[in-house]
């Protein structure tokens, strides 16, 4: 049984921390007293671990997800939706009018520290749980992996954040202070290195799909090193995951033969998946608590608004909400690329040819995110609301991503350019079926390939910031150099606490 399948029946998730209603810094976090008497046996320890995993797929009550917010912030998408105030968190990050009290940062901050709270809780409880010691070591390793995962997102999104390695007493929550980013990165590296020894090399996907593995830890550690421009170390970690480009590696990862197969909803935990976020249509999610659903909200968010088929061969899109519309710039960049039709839905063309119609939403371009657009073929018809119960998983890390990141580390670090070219062309030739010949391993070519291969998957904004080209690419959207490379600390987190706003946002930290 995959990790996500446990969620609907677990009470522990809500006991540890309520994702729907609490801020990170509350005097008495909801459920603190309840969890004090938990973790009495192996089953309860596993439930606590699942509660930490559950935060990986966090979807806020305002429909905010990491992928959605970062897509809106990038040059590949506009916020879209029904109007300029529709999901305002997307709107203000898309046009860079966000402020400490307006934007997706509150939800992203809550996600990160909710995950850390749960990871720290399970890590603090495990030593006292009577259970199989080998299994306990694995649970500990998974807890450390998850803590590293949450901290990596937080430090690159906010830079100046508190660092906790154990649960915080309620009486001390208002006294927490921020750590230097170098301290946070050091803790992330430490957690991942310690986790590697006790994580499994592989997991049976039918029963444990979505759980951390050695490959996922090496890949995440490679990303952490690359973010800090430790190019040699990054390349070494990615090489352990990638093995022979286009061939074998120690963990069994392999590029799928067809790019389009990545987006088949039933093709979960395939050979290209390194770390995957699971969603299900069995949680019966409804409007009473949008954040409580285990369905994938992006499937309804990105679909064309008011969609209607006019001919029998029209695509079977579900009428969606037209968020995160694709920009003409991305469409033009992909126009003659073989990945186009699996990445972008051209509703403008369908309408002009009398195949389908749709309503023009806010900032409509005629182009939608095909990768995640909901379809009638996998629409939920059971309990709950259809819109909240789409089952498509999301790739947090996949092999094409790590191929291109290793190539980047090699090029930027003066490494083996022959291997870098082999990695780059393995991804490109999968799309082109080797019909165009190889290209050189240059940073410009890697930048282009990452955009085409990973469009809409939430990587583009992080990439632009890492490459230090975000101001020139996003300047026309309002991006200001020296400010918008990070998000502001949410205003509510600074009320009556020692947390200070970052200097980039007018603070003193």
């Amino acid at each position: 049984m995959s990790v996500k399948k446990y969620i609907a029946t677990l009470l522990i998730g809500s006991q540890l921390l309520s994702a729907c209603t609490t801020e990170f810094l509350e005097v008495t976090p909801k459920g603190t007293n309840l969890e004090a008497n938990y973790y009495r046996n192996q089953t309860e320890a596993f439930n606590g671990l699942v509660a930490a995993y559950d935060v990986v797929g966090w979807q806020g009550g305002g429909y905010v997800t990491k992928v959605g917010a970062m897509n809106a912030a990038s040059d590949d998408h506009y916020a879209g939706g029904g109007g300029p105030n529709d999901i305002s968190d997307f709107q203000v990050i898309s046009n860079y009018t966000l402020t400490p009290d307006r934007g997706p940062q509150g939800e992203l901050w809550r996600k990160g520290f909710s995950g850390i709270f749960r990871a720290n809780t399970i890590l603090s409880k495990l030593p006292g749980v009577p259970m199989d010691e080998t299994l306990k070591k694995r649970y500990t390793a998974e807890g450390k992996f998850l803590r590293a995962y949450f901290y990596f997102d937080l430090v690159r999104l906010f830079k100046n954040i508190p660092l906790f390695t154990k649960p915080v007493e309620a009486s001390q929550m208002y006294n927490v202070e921020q750590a230097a980013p170098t301290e946070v990165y050091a803790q992330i590296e430490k957690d991942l290195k310690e986790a590697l020894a006790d994580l499994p090399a592989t997991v049976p996907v039918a029963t444990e799909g979505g759980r951390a593995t050695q490959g996922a830890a090496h890949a995440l550690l490679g990303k952490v090193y690359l973010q800090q421009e430790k190019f040699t170390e990054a390349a070494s970690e990615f090489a352990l995951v990638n093995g022979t480009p286009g061939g074998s590696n120690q963990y069994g990862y392999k590029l799928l033969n067809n790019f389009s197969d990545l987006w088949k909803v039933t093709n979960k935990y395939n050979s290209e998946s390194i770390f995957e976020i699971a969603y299900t249509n069995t949680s019966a999610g409804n409007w009473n608590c949008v954040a409580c659903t285990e369905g994938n909200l992006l499937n309804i968010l990105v679909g064309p608004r008011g969609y209607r088929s006019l001919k029998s061969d029209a695509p079977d899109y579900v009428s969606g909400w037209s968020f995160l519309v694709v920009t003409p710039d991305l469409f033009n960049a992909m126009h003659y690329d073989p990945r186009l039709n699996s990445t972008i839905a051209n509703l403008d063309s369908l309408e002009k040819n009398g195949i389908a119609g749709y309503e023009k939403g806010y900032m409509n371009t005629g182009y939608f995110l095909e990768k995640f657009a909901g379809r009638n073929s996998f629409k939920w018809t059971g309990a709950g609301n259809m819109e909240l119960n789409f089952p498509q998983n999301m790739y947090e890390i996949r092999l094409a991503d790590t191929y291109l990141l290793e190539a980047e580390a090699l090029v930027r670090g003066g490494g083996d350019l022959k291997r870098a070219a082999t990695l780059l062309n393995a991804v490109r030739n999968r799309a082109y079926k080797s019909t165009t010949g190889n290209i050189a391993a240059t940073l410009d070519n890697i930048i282009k390939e990452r955009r085409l291969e990973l469009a809409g998957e939430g990587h583009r904004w992080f990439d632009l910031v890492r490459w230090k080209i975000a101001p020139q690419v996003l300047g026309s959207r309002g991006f200001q150099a020296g400010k918008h490379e990070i998000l502001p600390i949410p205003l509510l987190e600074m009320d009556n606490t020692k947390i200070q706003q970052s200097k980039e946002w007018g603070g003193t930290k």
Side-chain angles (χ1 to χ4, degrees), residues 133-402:
E133 287 301 316
T134 299
L135 198 57
K136 183 184 291 188
K137 288 180 180 179
R138 179 184 175 184
Y139 288 7
T140 300
E142 289 179 274
K144 290 180 177 180
F145 171 89
L146 290 169
R147 183 167 65 188
Y149 167 81
F150 293 122
Y151 265 126
F152 182 49
D153 274 351
L154 284 168
V155 74
R156 59 182 176 157
L157 284 170
F158 296 100
K159 190 171 90 169
N160 301 303
I161 58 174
L163 177 62
F164 306 115
T165 56
K166 59 183 179 180
V168 182
E169 295 294 331
S171 60
Q172 296 300 311
M173 281 193 169
Y174 282 91
N175 295 318
V176 299
E177 296 183 355
Q178 290 140 295
T182 53
E183 293 180 49
V184 179
Y185 277 111
Q187 182 62 47
I188 293 170
E189 292 175 16
K190 180 176 183 290
D191 275 343
L192 290 171
K193 290 174 183 177
E194 291 178 353
L196 277 164
D198 296 308
L199 288 174
T202 61
V203 296
V205 297
T207 56
E208 297 184 11
R211 295 180 71 174
T213 62
Q214 290 177 14
H218 281 302
L220 182 55
L221 185 55
K223 290 193 172 200
V224 171
Y225 283 141
L226 185 60
Q227 188 73 18
Q228 301 172 85
E229 299 189 351
K230 297 179 179 180
F231 299 122
T232 300
E233 295 93 333
S236 295
E237 292 299 322
F238 290 131
L240 293 171
V241 178
N242 296 334
T244 302
S248 62
N249 56 68
Q250 61 181 319
Y251 299 118
Y253 302 128
K254 186 177 184 299
L255 293 177
L256 298 184
N257 290 331
N258 298 306
F259 177 81
S260 60
D261 289 344
L262 285 162
W263 317 111
K264 293 180 178 178
V265 174
T266 57
N267 198 16
K268 301 187 178 191
Y269 310 114
N270 57 64
S271 65
E272 192 164 333
S273 176
I274 296 173
F275 190 47
E276 187 166 327
I277 303 173
Y279 292 102
T280 178
N281 56 12
T282 60
S283 66
N286 59 62
W287 300 120
N288 292 329
C289 181
V290 172
C292 301
T293 185
E294 301 296 338
N296 189 339
L297 295 178
L298 274 180
N299 290 148
I300 194 66
L301 284 169
V302 305
R305 183 177 294 262
Y307 178 79
R308 58 195 183 278
S309 60
L310 301 177
K311 291 187 177 179
S312 59
D313 59 346
D316 68 329
Y317 301 120
V318 170
S319 180
W321 299 345
S322 70
F323 282 97
L324 307 175
V325 290
V326 171
T327 61
D329 188 55
L330 176 60
F331 179 82
N332 292 334
M334 295 200 72
H335 198 179
Y336 299 105
D337 189 275
R339 290 163 285 202
L340 173 67
N341 291 337
S342 296
T343 302
I344 300 174
N346 189 342
L347 269 293
D348 182 59
S349 177
L350 291 175
E351 186 174 66
K352 287 179 179 177
N353 287 283
I355 297 172
Y358 72 106
E359 297 175 12
K360 311 304 184 290
Y362 181 58
M363 301 192 78
N364 176 63
T365 63
Y367 310 127
F368 296 81
L369 187 53
E370 170 71 21
K371 286 180 177 178
F372 304 126
R375 298 270 194 158
N376 279 299
S377 57
F378 55 89
K379 180 178 72 173
W380 178 240
T381 58
N385 295 94
M386 173 274 291
E387 296 88 344
L388 306 181
N389 289 283
F390 285 93
Q392 185 175 14
N393 283 6
M394 303 285 290
Y395 301 107
E396 182 69 18
I397 309 174
R398 62 181 177 92
L399 193 61
D401 179 19
T402 57

Side-chain angles (χ1 to χ4, degrees), residues 6 13 27 77 86 92 108 120 167 169 176 184 220 234 336 355 363 378 401 419 422 434 437-438 459 475:
Y6 291 97
V27 174
H77 304 269
D86 201 359
V92 298
L108 297 174
N120 281 339
E169 295 294 331
V176 299
V184 179
L220 182 55
Y336 299 105
I355 297 172
M363 301 192 78
F378 55 89
D401 179 19
R419 178 173 171 85
T422 304
S434 304
N438 291 337
H459 299 287

Side-chain angles (χ1 to χ4, degrees), residues 24-25 109 162 176 178 489 493-494 497-501:
F24 162 60
L25 292 176
W109 180 279
V176 299
Q178 290 140 295
I489 306 297
E493 303 304 335
M494 296 181 289
T497 75
K498 294 183 178 181
I499 293 179
Q500 302 171 42
Q501 186 59 267

